[in-house]
């Protein structure tokens, strides 16, 4: 009778009688291997808050850039209107809104 050895690296605590019975009857041997808990930092849990914070910062800078663009356009528009209107007078007080080109 040939002595059968389990294939691969198998846990040593399987009783020989159970192994031999499985070999004789053709029943499968179910081996449950418990994986240890992963060590280290779970990266998904750490990266999601940083991604949210980065998106908030990028949105804030975009809002600041849009506000600067709008203020620049408003200042340019006011300068063009003041230059085209010329001096404005109310009740004897004349106010020149823009300098003339010399």
């Amino acid at each position: 009778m040939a002595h059968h050895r389990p294939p691969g690296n198998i846990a040593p605590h399987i009783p020989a009688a159970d192994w031999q019975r499985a070999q004789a009857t053709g029943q499968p041997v179910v081996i449950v291997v418990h994986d240890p808990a992963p060590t280290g930092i779970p990266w998904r849990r750490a990266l999601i808050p940083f991604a949210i914070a980065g998106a908030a910062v990028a949105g804030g800078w975009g809002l600041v850039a849009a506000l600067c663009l709008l203020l620049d356009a408003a200042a340019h528009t006011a300068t063009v209107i003041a230059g085209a209107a010329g001096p404005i007078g109310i009740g004897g007080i004349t106010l020149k809104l823009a300098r003339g080109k010399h």
Side-chain angles (χ1 to χ4, degrees), residues 10-101:
I10 196 164
H13 62 274
I14 298 174
D18 291 342
W19 176 258
Q20 290 172 357
R21 185 174 49 249
Q23 288 290 318
T25 61
Q27 290 178 339
V29 176
V30 178
I31 301 169
V32 178
V33 179
H34 295 284
D35 285 338
T39 58
I41 300 171
W43 288 109
R44 172 175 268 182
R45 203 169 141 199
L47 289 178
I48 288 176
F50 284 110
I52 292 171
V57 168
W61 278 111
L63 188 63
V64 168
L67 183 62
C68 289
L69 183 68
L70 287 172
L71 288 175
D72 183 47
H76 181 69
T77 302
T79 303
V80 168
I81 291 172
I88 295 177
I90 297 174
I93 300 174
T94 304
L95 179 63
K96 190 172 183 181
L97 298 176
R99 294 184 204 157
K101 296 180 181 177

